[in-house]
Amino acid sequence: VQLQASGGGLVQAGGSLRLSCAASGRTFSSYAMSWFRQAPGKEREFVASISWSAGITYYAASVKGRFTISRTNAKNTLYLQMNSLKPEDTAVYYCAAGPHLSVQQHSWDYWGQGTQVTVSS
């Protein structure tokens, strides 16, 4: 499966953005999906994940209550709604697909190219 992330941009602290990840292929609905992010000079970190049926979601503690992961299998699209953004949310955001839910990078088989999110103070 090929993934294409979009929706990043520059936003002021307290603002909102919605990221999208478009997937090619007819097997999107069989994959768990996730978002990771990587800030300058830091390692890539887990943000959120969602099961193939959207029945199970997990969030990093740093974004829980502010971010919402969702998916529309009929449109082969994954979303990340980000509210109450903080400067520390600034990073390149990546979507990923894999066979099961995990917070570990190595568990995800397919990665998108990333989209830049910059939050100004």
Side-chain angles (χ1 to χ4, degrees), residues 20 23-24 32 39 47 56-57 70 76 78 83 93 97 108 120:
S20 297
S24 63
V47 174
I56 302 172
T57 57
S70 62
N76 281 10
L78 172 74
N83 298 329
Y93 284 71
W108 299 91
S120 63

Side-chain angles (χ1 to χ4, degrees), residues 39-121:
K42 295 187 177 182
E43 294 187 354
R44 192 175 299 186
E45 64 174 3
F46 170 79
V47 174
S49 61
I50 187 167
S51 62
W52 67 270
S53 66
I56 302 172
T57 57
Y58 290 112
Y59 296 92
S62 59
V63 307
K64 195 170 186 178
R66 300 187 298 122
F67 290 11
T68 302
I69 188 171
S70 62
R71 65 190 296 166
T72 302
N73 288 340
K75 294 184 178 181
N76 281 10
T77 305
L78 172 74
Y79 304 98
L80 185 69
Q81 178 66 45
M82 305 185 295
N83 298 329
S84 302
L85 283 162
K86 304 175 182 180
E88 51 262 44
D89 294 317
T90 295
V92 177
Y93 284 71
Y94 299 90
C95 54
H100 53 79
L101 296 172
S102 173
V103 301
Q104 302 295 328
Q105 293 185 56
H106 61 77
S107 297
W108 299 91
D109 297 331
Y110 304 97
W111 291 83
Q113 87 291 358
T115 185
Q116 176 70 48
V117 172
T118 303
V119 184
S120 63
S121 57

